[in-house]
Amino acid sequence: MFPIRTVPSGAASQCFTLIRSLTVGSVRAAKKAEQLESEASAAEEDVPVTFVDDDAESAEDREARLGAIRNKSRLLPQHRNMLHDTLPYEESQSWIHETVKYKRMMLGRYGLEGSRVDPRICFPTKKEVYEKAEYERVAFPFSLKQMMDANAAARKAKKAAVEAREVEIARKLEKLDQWTADLNARMEKKEAEARAAKERKDRLVEEVRRHFGFKVDPRDERFQEMLTQKEREDRKKVKEAKRKEKEEKMMEKLQKKTAELEADIEVPNEQRK
């Protein structure tokens, strides 16, 4: 008898696991292959098979079919026609396509043969000619010569106004120094009057205080009454002084005028002698 060789339990379990995994993998691969074959056969059965009889198909139909197959742009027919510089629509699709403006546009873009539009549509009708002439008569009532004359007169008047404005500005610039001096004089006069008024006010207040002989609150009624009275008297004095100054000026003017008249009278008398 041959001796029996024992195998360790760990190695046996590893061998058993490896054999089992190989068996399961082969079974799954077989099932996957069967599934793929069934799907492929089903897809072949679903795809319709079209047979085209070249002899029975006309040339136009064949060209249309091939053109549809070759058209991979997915553009609409009218857009594809425009891309190939052909008329977008074979027939009118809207009322706009029947308008004169649209037909003139197609004629100008695609020409006589491409647009299939009667070129006489580009010429105005008698009604349009009459309306255009009437519009021009109302909108432009003057002739070209009249408009040119009016334009020349307007330019001449504008030039004259500019020159007059420049002369006026130059004349005013010449007086600028005098105006500046007058302005400064008026400002100095106002400042002097303001200072004089303040000095007069201070003087009147001091006079009122001297009148009472003791310090009085300016807000006191007696002080205010006396101050008002002093101001009234001061205004009368100022008014009287102005009146006298005016009278003196009038007298000087009268005397000067009298002297001029006497001189004018003496000159003719000397000439007569």
Side-chain angles (χ1 to χ4, degrees), residues 214-229:
F214 54 88
K215 291 184 179 181
V216 183
D217 189 359
R219 293 172 294 182
D220 190 85
E221 293 182 1
R222 294 176 298 171
F223 186 89
Q224 293 293 332
E225 291 177 1
M226 184 57 66
L227 181 61
T228 304
Q229 183 179 354

Side-chain angles (χ1 to χ4, degrees), residues 115-177:
S115 63
R116 292 177 294 197
V117 175
D118 188 357
R120 290 178 295 179
I121 198 172
C122 296
F123 295 92
T125 61
K126 293 182 178 179
K127 182 179 179 181
E128 291 175 347
V129 171
Y130 173 76
E131 290 178 352
K132 183 67 175 177
E134 187 67 15
Y135 171 79
E136 291 183 354
R137 185 183 67 80
V138 175
F140 310 103
F142 303 105
S143 62
L144 180 60
K145 183 66 170 59
Q146 291 174 339
M147 288 190 291
M148 291 175 64
D149 294 340
N151 191 13
R155 288 201 304 270
K156 186 176 180 181
K158 185 177 180 180
K159 184 178 179 181
V162 171
E163 292 176 354
R165 177 64 176 168
E166 291 176 352
V167 171
E168 182 69 14
I169 292 173
R171 184 179 63 81
K172 290 182 178 180
L173 286 175
E174 292 176 356
K175 297 182 179 181
L176 181 61
D177 296 336

Side-chain angles (χ1 to χ4, degrees), residues 7 12 47 103 144 180 194 196-197 215 219 232 239 251 253:
V7 180
V47 175
K103 290 182 178 179
L144 180 60
T180 305
K215 291 184 179 181
R219 293 172 294 182
R232 192 180 301 112
K239 188 175 181 181
M251 290 298 296
K253 287 183 181 180

Side-chain angles (χ1 to χ4, degrees), residues 12 77 82:
M82 293 174 66

